[in-house]
Amino acid sequence: MRCGARLGAHDLYPEFVFAAVDTADPGRAVARAYAVPLRWTEPELPDGGWDRAIQRAAITRLTGATPHIVSAIEICVRPDRRAAGLSALMLAAMRQAVAKLGYDTLVAPVCPSGKHTRPDLPMSEYAAQVREDGLPVDPWLRVHLRAGGRIERVATRSMMISGILAEWRRWNGLPFDTSGPVRVPGTLVPVHCDVAHDHSVYVEPNVWVRHRL
């Protein structure tokens, strides 16, 4: 999951908002996490991934449907506290809380933490890479599987961001003056640039992981 997904969750889904604080500095959070309950009856989790989970949660709420699964939306650790095992603790806390609320399934459109180093490699190939112990090469996928999750499928268009070229130049400082793929630092795949139509779009693939609780 990625950082920045508040979604008004504090008001709409307070029971699915999680935070970790430093006991030495209780007023400052070191990690946060968000999830949303939703109803999803289709046989497969959606290609739309993160975007679709948020949309379906809103539809579930607005129509009064009864949610039966929960989708993680974000687990974010403060930069200076990363590599200390907090992401695994936050995932464990989320799993436990969701189970206590009566749900038996937690799904997650996982944003693999190492994929940005291989932007030209298809996500299906990247997610399939494993170490000698059989666990994924990717650290974040590895955390999910160690926690009991199972990789289900790739969400090929999990999150989409589009904008005119001036916006993309402002967002990352790159020229965006040539049509074709643009490799933007930190993105999982190249951004597609269309100079003639003054438009660029980023279509991020994620990996659906299912946790049985």
Side-chain angles (χ1 to χ4, degrees):
M1 283 74 71
R2 78 280 299 145
C3 298
R6 292 179 178 82
L7 311 172
H10 298 91
D11 298 322
L12 298 178
Y13 311 105
E15 65 271 40
F16 297 102
V17 177
F18 310 91
V21 296
D22 189 336
T23 55
D25 184 10
R28 190 180 184 196
V30 295
R32 68 170 183 255
Y34 299 96
V36 291
L38 56 98
R39 185 163 188 82
W40 186 268
T41 57
E42 288 83 342
E44 287 190 333
L45 292 169
D47 289 328
W50 193 79
D51 285 347
R52 193 75 171 104
I54 294 170
Q55 180 190 56
R56 182 57 64 94
I59 291 173
T60 299
R61 182 179 180 85
L62 291 172
T63 61
T66 301
H68 70 290
I69 66 172
V70 174
S71 177
I73 294 299
E74 169 186 312
I75 293 178
C76 187
V77 177
R78 210 172 68 196
D80 64 318
R81 299 300 295 270
R82 291 173 184 169
L86 281 173
S87 58
L89 291 176
M90 294 298 288
L91 177 58
M94 183 182 289
R95 282 172 51 100
Q96 183 179 29
V98 169
K100 284 185 176 180
L101 288 168
Y103 296 91
D104 63 7
T105 302
L106 171 70
V107 297
V110 176
C111 176
S113 58
K115 179 62 172 69
H116 68 282
T117 66
R118 303 291 303 279
D120 296 315
L121 185 68
M123 180 62 85
S124 57
E125 295 181 26
Y126 178 82
Q129 293 181 334
V130 296
R131 309 187 310 179
E132 290 184 359
D133 61 3
L135 290 172
V137 167
D138 184 81
W140 192 208
L141 286 175
R142 197 160 59 241
V143 168
H144 276 270
L145 267 63
R146 280 177 171 158
R150 176 177 60 85
I151 292 177
E152 189 152 307
R153 66 191 302 257
V154 172
T156 54
R157 48 181 176 81
S158 186
M159 181 177 67
M160 300 179 66
I161 301 173
S162 63
I164 62 173
L165 301 185
E167 291 175 315
W168 281 97
R169 292 169 186 142
R170 185 172 68 251
W171 291 338
N172 53 66
L174 297 177
F176 277 87
D177 56 3
T178 303
S179 293
V182 179
R183 288 160 184 79
V184 177
T187 58
L188 308 195
V189 296
V191 176
H192 179 73
C193 175
D194 187 334
V195 173
H197 293 90
D198 190 24
H199 181 259
S200 286
V201 63
Y202 173 59
V203 182
E204 180 179 287
N206 288 163
V207 180
W208 276 117
V209 176
R210 184 183 295 268
H211 293 259
R212 296 291 187 184
L213 307 175

